[in-house]
């Protein structure tokens, strides 16, 4: 019998050299003789007996409203929720038996607390479905076991992270407790607590059984009219092109026949990439080995909670009277040759890779050193670039939906994601804010880039158990998209952030350049680690929940903007033109504000979904008709618009606009010139003095009012100047052809030298914008927020008779009153907040901060969050004014002041150039 302790000692003395990530192919990374299904620690699997029929378990229908492909957790949850919502003519196709791919061997853990309000809600729904709903509907037990969860903290930062989760959990009624080492020992007597800082205990966490869950889901869906067909592989996806040139799903092909359908849902897990290729859809995920071992019986382990020791990168799952031990290593094995024949199969465990988990497990539960290993479980799992799933309608083909890439969390997230995916399919949008999972969060230039997928997925896997700090940045696959200012700003000490593949300025290091280097896989696979890596060192100094060491640097960037003048490089913005015969009609329908003012006007607006939620906020500039002057002006003999959109969400915006144009049948074109132009924003009280030396136009209030734009010359280079501000100051944006970017930038900096001009980055923009009360999309403005709730009623043309998407919902909400609304909060204590802090009114939780930062001009921590009335009533101004509010940060409560308007420049004078 192998013992865990002896395995460690044996491997320490004889570790063979690791392979390159590019060399670990099937010949070395798995054996052709797979272990049997008895290696998984479940009493029952759904593997069919030898000799049983291999044909489809049911006849194929000729047509279906939707075809879900893949019978794992996500496929079963999706078909169940579709049927439950009334779509009964839906088919699930599984190439083998349910769970055969990766679900059958999953550990099945469910932890309720995550550093995301959306994920907390998704997990809560999964738990309700598994522990309650299915049993009530079918009378069958899914295998749910509520034994609790215990998160281990070996240092202060880790415990701070857990305290943040505990505070967020209070908003959602999730019971959790921070325990001392002694209290942890009382709860889990077999645990070594000598090196503990503390733990987070969540009593109602638990474990799920894959076979029991998927069988019950299948039966519940079938009872509502859905058809579940096993032993039926998919061999092709038919795609048609309509009269407008739009590609749409037409049918699903199998060896037994074809099913006509307008909707395919790709829930094929590791095999999702191959399924996407059948339809011409990129599915950016990668397969890796993911493993755990099952121990022999351990006396005294019964009824213990599941354990996550994040700092050791190991989990301990209760398995009756034994434990399953697994985790996330820095050198996972890639499965490059994904086999279609791999069903109910496992790889041989590579002990060289797995050893680190054994060491961590023995340290945490010492009795494991003398405990035998009953079985090993090493199977494939799919992983993505940001360790988040891939969901939603694919940009390439209408009607092709993704529900894959779940990073070994398909059971845990399956219920919540299955519900949202069903709503996506039926209603066109999910109910929750699913942008973090939406395939459209990735730019189209990245989703078929092998280097990006591989490097990013590796880093996300390796850092899965790392503390989630507010300002962390990836090291993998950087410098994918660089604007014309990149080189000159690097020399100026720019510390870049990565968004949407772009390198954008974060802040400026006073000690000199900190360039981003090629990815070193953290030294795994015999790749030499980067040495003297200033950028990585600067990131490491930000690994704190206190103010970062360069807090004063960001303060200087902010106050220079408030008191003098600062230059922001915002070149990563999306820059689109909307033109064509129906451009005006499309603009009226797409944009909540009236953008059809005279040419030369610029309007801040939202784009809404059918439920009135904000799909985007952006500026829309109406252009003069005329000949093309690309990239600064498109050819147009009628209505034309220039759209400037936050670069991190440009792909999402592009696809939203394209989908609306297609659905409404508008005859217009959307063209992308994002990479053809740079963009700098010059902001502050002295911005007019600086730019008047550079531009050949009068910048007075009368000649160049706020929210207008012009084509002008900047030191001989033609640019589009817009008088706008994202920070609440007098200022202009310059949209510049890429070849002119550096000369114009140098001219601005030279003219500004006597005025104290400095470079500033997005960390300053974050602080300045929240201080002013401006929204950031996907932070304090999301698809599940309406403009009325977000305090953006001024962006909606409700006083006009012009129809626009989402208008009916807003009119109804305005009539009924707001059940939730955004509120600004400040505290007097000098402590940082980052979002997710709980909001209490008169001692009762009413919401949480979506976004928070330090506001340097008013010298206070400031945050925005949406609050509800606990009794379900309207959240009125009086409800806010009469409440006694507190904010809870990491378990500590702070008295807060609620503001109906931003405490900074509430009369909006500074953007108009009025300084007292």
């Amino acid at each position: 019998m192998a013992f865990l302790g002896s395995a460690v000692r044996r491997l320490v003395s004889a570790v063979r050299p690791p392979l390159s990530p590019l060399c670990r192919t099937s010949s070395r990374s798995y054996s052709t003789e797979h272990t049997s299904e008895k290696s998984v620690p479940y009493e029952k699997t759904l593997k069919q007996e030898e000799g049983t029929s291999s044909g489809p378990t049911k006849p194929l229908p000729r047509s279906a409203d939707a075809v879900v492909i893949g019978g794992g957790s996500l496929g079963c949850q999706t078909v169940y929720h579709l049927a439950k919502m009334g779509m009964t003519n839906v088919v699930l196709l599984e190439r083998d038996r349910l769970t055969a791919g990766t679900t059958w061997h999953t550990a099945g853990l469910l932890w309720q607390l995550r550093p995301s309000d959306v994920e907390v809600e998704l997990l809560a729904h999964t738990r309700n479905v598994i522990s309650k709903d299915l049993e009530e509907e079918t009378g069958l037990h899914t295998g749910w076991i509520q034994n609790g969860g215990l998160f281990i903290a070996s240092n202060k930062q880790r415990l701070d992270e857990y305290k943040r989760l505990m505070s967020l959990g209070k908003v959602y009624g999730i019971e959790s407790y921070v325990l001392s080492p002694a209290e942890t020992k009382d709860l889990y007597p077999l645990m070594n607590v000598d090196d503990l800082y503390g733990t987070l205990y969540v009593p109602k966490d638990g474990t799920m059984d894959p076979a029991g869950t998927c069988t019950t889901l299948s039966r519940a869906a079938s009872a509502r009219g859905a058809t579940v067909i096993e032993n039926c592989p998919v061999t092709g996806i038919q795609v048609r092109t309509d009269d407008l040139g739009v590609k749409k799903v037409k049918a699903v092909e199998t060896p037994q026949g074809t099913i006509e359908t307008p909707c395919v849902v790709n829930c094929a897990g590791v095999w999702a990439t191959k399924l996407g290729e059948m339809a011409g859809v990129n599915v950016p995920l990668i397969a890796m080995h993911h493993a755990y071992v099952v121990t022999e019986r351990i006396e005294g382990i019964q009824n213990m909670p599941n354990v996550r020791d994040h700092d050791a990168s190991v989990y301990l799952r209760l398995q009756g009277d034994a434990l399953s031990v697994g985790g996330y290593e820095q050198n996972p094995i890639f499965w490059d040759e994904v086999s279609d024949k791999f069903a109910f199969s496992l790889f041989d465990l590579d002990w060289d890779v797995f050893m680190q988990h054994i060491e961590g497990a023995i340290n945490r539960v010492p009795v494991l050193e003398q405990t035998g290993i009953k079985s090993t479980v090493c199977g494939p799992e799919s992983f993505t670039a940001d360790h988040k799933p891939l969901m939603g309608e694919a940009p390439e083909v209408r009607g092709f939906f993704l529900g894959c890439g779940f990073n070994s969390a398909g059971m845990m997230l399956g219920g919540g994601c299955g519900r949202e995916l069903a709503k996506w399919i039926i209603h066109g949008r999910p109910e929750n804010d699913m942008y973090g999972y939406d395939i459209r969060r990735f730019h189209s230039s990245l989703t078929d880039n092998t280097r990006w997928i591989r490097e990013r997925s590796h880093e996300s896997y390796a850092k899965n158990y790392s503390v989630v700090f507010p300002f962390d940045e990836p090291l993998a696959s950087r410098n994918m998209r660089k604007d014309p200012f990149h080189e000159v700003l690097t020399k100026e000490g720019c510390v870049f952030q990565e968004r949407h593949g772009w390198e954008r300025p974060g802040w400026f290091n006073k000690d000199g350049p900190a360039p981003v280097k090629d990815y070193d896989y953290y030294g795994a696979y015999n790749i030499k680690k980067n040495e003297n890596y200033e950028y990585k060192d600067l990131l490491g100094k930000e690994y704190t929940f206190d103010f970062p060491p360069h807090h004063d640097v960001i303060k200087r960037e902010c106050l220079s903007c408030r008191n003098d003048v600062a230059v922001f490089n915002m070149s990563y913005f999306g820059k689109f033109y909307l033109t064509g015969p129906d451009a005006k009609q499309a603009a009226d329908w797409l944009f909540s504000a009236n953008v059809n003012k005279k040419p030369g006007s610029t309007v801040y607006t939202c784009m809404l979904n059918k439920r009135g939620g904000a799909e985007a906020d952006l500026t829309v500039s109406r252009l003069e008709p005329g000949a093309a002057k690309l990239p600064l002006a498109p050819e147009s003999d009628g209505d034309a618009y220039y759209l400037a959109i936050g670069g991190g969400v440009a792909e999402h915006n592009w696809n939203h606009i394209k989908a609306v144009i297609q659905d409404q049948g508008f005859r217009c074109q959307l063209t992308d010139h994002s990479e053809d132009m740079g963009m700098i924003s010059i902001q502050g009280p002295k911005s007019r003095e600086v730019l008047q030396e550079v531009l050949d136009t009068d910048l007075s209030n009368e000649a160049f009012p706020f929210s207008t734009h012009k084509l002008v010359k900047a030191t001989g280079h033609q640019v589009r100047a817009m008088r706008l501000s994202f920070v609440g100051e007098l200022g202009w944006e310059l949209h510049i052809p890429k070849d002119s970017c550096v000369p114009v930038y140098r001219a601005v900096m030279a003219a500004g030298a006597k005025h104290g001009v400095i470079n500033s980055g997005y960390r300053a923009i974050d602080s300045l914008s929240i201080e002013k009360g401006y929204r950031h999309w996907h932070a304090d403005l999301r698809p599940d927020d309406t403009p009325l709730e977000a305090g953006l009623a001024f962006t909606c043309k409700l006083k006009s008779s012009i129809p626009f998407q989402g208008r009916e919902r807003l009119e109804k909400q305005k009539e009924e009153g707001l059940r939730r609304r955004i509120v600004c909060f400040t505290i007097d204590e000098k402590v940082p907040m980052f979002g997710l802090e709980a909001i209490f009114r008169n001692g009762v939780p009413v919401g949480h901060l979506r976004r928070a930062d330090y506001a340097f001009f008013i010298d206070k921590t400031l945050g925005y969050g949406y609050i509800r009335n606990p009794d379900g009533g309207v959240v009125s101004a009086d409800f806010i004014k009469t409440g006694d509010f507190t904010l809870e940060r990491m378990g500590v409560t702070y008295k807060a002041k609620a503001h109906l308007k931003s405490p900074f420049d509430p009369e909006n004078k500074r953007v108009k150039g009025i300084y007292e």
Side-chain angles (χ1 to χ4, degrees):
M1 179 185 295
F3 289 89
L4 298 189
S6 60
V8 171
R9 289 190 292 272
R10 186 169 61 254
L11 287 161
V12 166
S13 63
V15 176
R16 60 178 190 257
L19 296 173
S20 159
L22 304 179
C23 307
R24 284 184 177 268
T25 56
S26 57
S27 61
R28 286 294 301 274
S29 62
Y30 74 92
S31 166
T32 55
E33 295 184 7
H34 308 129
T35 55
S36 73
E37 76 277 3
K38 293 180 181 177
S39 293
V40 298
Y42 300 110
E43 293 183 8
K44 177 185 177 183
T45 68
L46 303 180
K47 184 177 180 180
Q48 60 190 8
E49 297 298 325
E50 297 294 332
T52 56
S53 171
S54 59
T57 54
K58 293 177 184 175
L60 266 67
R62 295 181 60 184
S63 65
D65 292 334
V67 176
V68 180
I69 302 171
S73 171
L74 257 295
C76 292
Q77 288 278 11
T78 301
V79 76
Y80 163 74
H81 282 91
L82 283 170
K84 194 169 184 177
M85 292 177 196
M87 183 181 280
T88 56
N89 185 23
V90 58
V91 176
L92 185 149
L93 299 179
E94 163 54 46
R95 65 184 173 90
D96 196 274
R97 301 300 296 269
L98 297 182
T99 75
T102 62
T103 297
W104 81 293
H105 60 71
T106 183
L109 294 159
L110 190 147
W111 318 93
Q112 294 178 86
L113 292 178
R114 304 266 278 207
S116 160
D117 60 320
V118 173
E119 290 190 354
V120 168
E121 293 178 20
L122 297 175
L123 293 166
H125 184 68
T126 298
R127 190 182 179 283
N128 286 339
V129 169
I130 301 301
S131 66
K132 176 176 169 285
D133 295 353
L134 283 173
E135 192 163 346
E136 291 177 356
E137 290 180 34
T138 66
L140 301 174
H141 182 51
T142 63
W144 165 254
I145 298 172
Q146 181 181 297
N147 60 310
L150 192 63
F151 284 3
I152 306 300
S154 301
N155 54 69
K156 179 182 182 298
Q157 290 175 335
R158 183 69 74 177
L159 193 62
D160 284 347
E161 180 184 40
Y162 295 162
K163 289 176 180 177
R164 277 171 56 80
L165 297 181
M166 178 184 69
S167 293
L168 178 63
K170 291 179 181 179
V171 179
Y172 290 95
I174 297 173
E175 182 183 1
S176 66
Y177 307 93
V178 171
L179 305 182
S180 68
E183 292 170 324
T184 303
K185 186 73 173 178
D186 290 341
L187 176 67
Y188 202 119
L190 295 179
M191 183 172 290
N192 166 33
V193 300
D194 293 344
D195 59 346
L196 291 195
Y197 210 87
T199 58
L200 179 68
Y201 176 50
V202 186
K204 295 181 181 178
D205 285 353
T207 54
M208 299 167 285
D209 176 77
T213 298
C214 290
T215 299
T216 311
L217 286 166
S218 171
R219 291 189 183 182
S222 298
R224 294 178 181 272
T227 303
V228 177
I229 305 175
E230 298 173 272
N231 295 332
C232 186
V234 171
T235 56
I237 307 290
Q238 293 181 15
V239 176
R240 66 183 178 88
T241 303
D242 69 12
D243 295 339
L244 297 175
V246 180
K247 292 182 177 180
K248 297 182 177 180
V249 168
K250 180 183 178 184
V252 174
E253 298 173 350
T254 79
Q256 284 73 34
T258 298
I259 304 175
E260 300 284 334
T261 184
C263 178
V264 163
V265 191
N266 182 352
C267 297
V270 165
W271 296 268
T273 299
K274 288 190 174 183
L275 189 67
E277 290 171 355
M278 295 179 185
V281 170
N282 292 325
V283 182
L285 58 78
I286 198 163
M288 299 183 196
H289 293 203
H290 193 54
Y292 60 90
V293 299
V294 185
T295 72
E296 297 285 357
R297 184 178 185 277
I298 302 171
E299 183 62 39
I301 205 70
Q302 296 87 343
N303 302 318
M304 290 296 101
N306 302 315
V307 173
R308 256 190 175 182
D309 190 340
H310 291 95
D311 294 312
S313 197
V314 67
Y315 66 79
L316 307 171
R317 177 207 197 271
L318 184 68
Q319 201 73 54
D321 58 2
L323 288 177
S324 293
V325 179
Y328 291 81
E329 56 279 350
Q330 298 230 335
N331 57 337
I333 300 172
F334 294 95
W335 190 29
D336 290 326
E337 298 178 7
V338 176
S339 169
D340 293 338
K341 306 298 182 183
F342 200 91
F344 291 108
S345 303
L346 297 171
F347 305 117
D348 289 339
L349 182 66
D350 188 326
W351 281 99
D352 293 351
V353 173
F354 194 78
M355 176 183 67
Q356 57 196 284
H357 305 313
I358 300 298
E359 293 174 316
I362 290 174
N363 175 63
R364 190 54 55 219
V365 181
V367 70
L368 288 173
E369 185 165 15
Q370 300 301 319
T371 301
I373 301 169
K374 184 177 182 180
S375 63
T376 66
V377 181
C378 181
E381 291 282 1
S382 59
F383 293 92
T384 64
D386 57 1
H387 218 73
K388 302 293 183 186
L390 307 175
M391 293 181 63
E393 190 173 34
E396 300 93 340
V397 179
R398 301 296 303 274
F400 191 100
F401 286 81
L402 301 178
C404 51
F406 273 79
N407 304 279
S408 196
M411 287 290 292
M412 182 164 61
L413 291 169
C417 288
R419 177 184 64 177
E420 295 302 320
L421 194 50
K423 291 182 178 181
W424 222 322
I425 293 162
I426 294 172
H427 303 300
R429 287 300 296 149
E431 184 173 326
N432 261 335
D433 166 36
M434 299 300 291
Y435 175 73
Y437 291 7
D438 193 332
I439 183 60
R440 300 175 301 171
R441 71 189 184 273
F442 296 135
H443 190 259
S444 57
S445 67
L446 302 176
T447 55
D448 64 348
N449 186 306
T450 302
R451 174 198 155 201
W452 176 79
I453 297 169
R454 193 179 193 86
E455 289 186 1
R456 273 296 181 74
S457 298
H458 171 269
E459 184 177 32
S460 295
Y461 181 101
K463 291 181 68 174
N464 183 46
Y465 278 4
S466 298
V467 177
V468 180
F469 289 110
F471 302 117
D472 199 10
E473 293 290 329
L475 297 175
S477 287
R478 296 294 295 268
N479 297 319
M480 303 293 285
R481 305 174 77 193
K482 296 187 288 188
D483 64 57
F485 304 103
H486 185 269
E487 184 177 349
V488 66
L489 293 185
T490 298
K491 293 177 181 177
E492 294 290 334
C494 184
V495 180
F496 287 95
Q497 302 172 331
E498 188 276 344
R499 299 293 184 272
H500 220 49
W502 285 106
E503 297 293 317
R504 76 173 192 183
W507 55 282
F508 285 81
N509 178 29
K510 58 187 177 183
D511 296 326
V516 179
K517 298 183 179 183
D518 288 344
Y519 186 50
D520 62 3
Y521 283 86
Y522 293 88
Y525 314 114
N526 262 2
I527 295 173
K528 185 179 179 181
K529 292 185 74 170
N530 287 316
E531 298 177 351
N532 302 316
Y533 197 176
E534 178 70 9
Y535 181 83
K536 184 178 180 181
D537 292 343
L538 289 172
L539 281 186
K541 292 175 182 178
E542 291 213 281
Y543 290 170
T544 176
F545 291 108
D546 294 324
F547 292 118
H550 49 267
H551 188 61
D552 60 322
V553 178
I554 298 169
K555 176 181 180 179
R556 175 175 176 261
E557 293 183 16
C558 290
L559 294 183
S560 291
C561 178
R562 291 279 184 246
N563 298 323
D564 298 304
V565 60
V567 176
F568 301 89
N569 173 20
M570 304 174 73
S571 298
Y572 91 121
F573 259 48
K575 309 169 192 77
F576 307 153
Y577 290 118
L578 180 65
T579 59
D582 293 342
K584 181 180 184 299
Q585 189 179 353
D588 281 339
W589 183 252
L590 277 164
F591 306 123
S592 61
N594 180 13
V595 300
N596 281 303
K597 299 181 180 180
K598 64 181 182 179
S601 63
T602 297
V603 177
Y604 171 70
T605 182
C606 293
M607 289 192 291
L608 309 182
N609 53 43
K610 295 175 183 177
R611 295 173 47 251
E615 289 291 328
D617 69 331
L618 67 158
T619 59
V620 178
S621 300
R622 194 170 184 195
L623 305 177
E624 294 276 4
K629 296 179 182 179
L630 293 174
L632 289 172
E635 181 178 0
S636 172
D637 57 3
D639 298 296
Y641 306 87
Y642 176 44
L643 284 51
I645 297 165
V649 296
E651 183 78 11
H652 171 86
N653 281 236
W654 173 269
N655 285 287
H656 173 77
I657 296 168
K658 293 285 284 188
V660 171
I661 289 173
Q662 292 165 8
D663 292 344
Q664 298 296 320
F666 294 132
R667 296 169 300 153
C668 52
Q669 294 79 44
L670 187 68
T671 54
D672 185 357
H673 289 272
S674 302
E675 311 225 4
D676 301 332
M677 286 184 281
M679 172 183 161
I680 55 175
S681 184
I682 300 89
Q683 300 287 325
K686 299 178 181 177
S687 59
R688 179 183 279 132
E689 298 171 62
V690 173
L691 287 176
Q692 196 64 78
E693 294 186 30
V694 179
L695 304 182
D696 68 344
T697 191
D698 183 359
L699 299 181
S700 65
N701 286 332
E702 296 74 24
F704 209 139
F706 185 69
S707 289
T708 62
H709 63 92
K710 295 179 182 180
L711 284 178
V712 300
K713 289 287 184 70
T715 62
H717 299 267
Q718 193 166 47
V719 304
R720 186 175 296 279
M722 295 187 180
R723 187 170 166 194
L724 294 171
S725 180
F726 281 85
V727 296
E729 297 294 335
L730 172 69
W732 281 260
E733 295 174 2
L734 302 182
H735 298 240
I736 314 166
K738 61 182 180 181
D739 292 339
S740 300
C741 282
V742 173
V744 171
Y745 166 78
R746 292 194 189 282
V748 169
M749 297 304 286
K754 60 179 173 288
H755 300 289
V757 69
I758 68 167
N759 290 299
S760 294
Y762 268 84
R763 290 283 288 278
I765 289 179
D766 289 343
S767 170
L768 293 163
S769 62
I770 196 171
E771 184 173 52
K772 174 57 182 163
Y774 291 159
R775 307 287 174 259
H776 274 196
W777 193 83
H778 199 235
D780 42 13
L781 179 67
R782 306 191 310 200
D784 52 344
D785 306 319
T786 73
L788 305 188
E789 295 167 340
L792 298 177
F794 68 92
T795 67
C796 301
K797 48 183 179 260
L798 291 175
K799 293 181 180 178
S800 76
S801 59
I802 303 169
F804 60 92
Q805 181 158 276
R807 176 170 183 144
E808 290 183 4
R809 167 72 191 280
L810 299 190
E811 289 176 331
K812 183 178 181 183
Q813 192 174 56
K814 187 176 180 180
E815 180 182 344
E816 294 177 349
L818 299 176
R819 263 45 181 193
R820 60 194 287 273
R821 64 188 289 179
I822 200 166
V823 177
C824 173
F825 296 95
T826 56
I827 62 170
D828 291 332
E829 290 85 352
K830 297 291 192 294
V831 294
M833 293 187 178
F834 308 103
L836 301 184
E837 292 81 9
I839 303 168
F840 294 83
R841 181 184 182 273
N842 300 342
V844 178
V846 291
H848 67 275
L849 294 185
R850 287 273 196 86
R851 181 178 164 220
D853 212 320
Y854 199 81
F856 291 100
F857 192 82
I858 65 172
D859 200 23
K860 290 180 182 294
T861 294
L862 183 149
Y864 278 84
Y866 288 79
I867 67 170
R868 296 180 181 273
N869 190 328
D871 66 10
V874 171
V875 180
S876 63
D878 189 60
F879 176 83
I880 297 167
K881 291 176 182 177
T882 59
D884 181 16
F885 288 95
T886 55
L887 303 178
E888 181 176 312
R889 172 190 182 269
M890 296 190 295
V892 179
T893 299
Y894 298 89
K895 186 171 179 58
K897 182 177 180 180
H899 305 265
L900 293 174
K901 285 187 175 183
S902 166
F904 171 79
D905 190 23
E907 296 179 4
N908 216 31
K909 291 181 178 180
R910 297 170 76 101
V911 294
K912 300 171 186 174
I914 303 171
Y915 289 91
E916 296 175 356

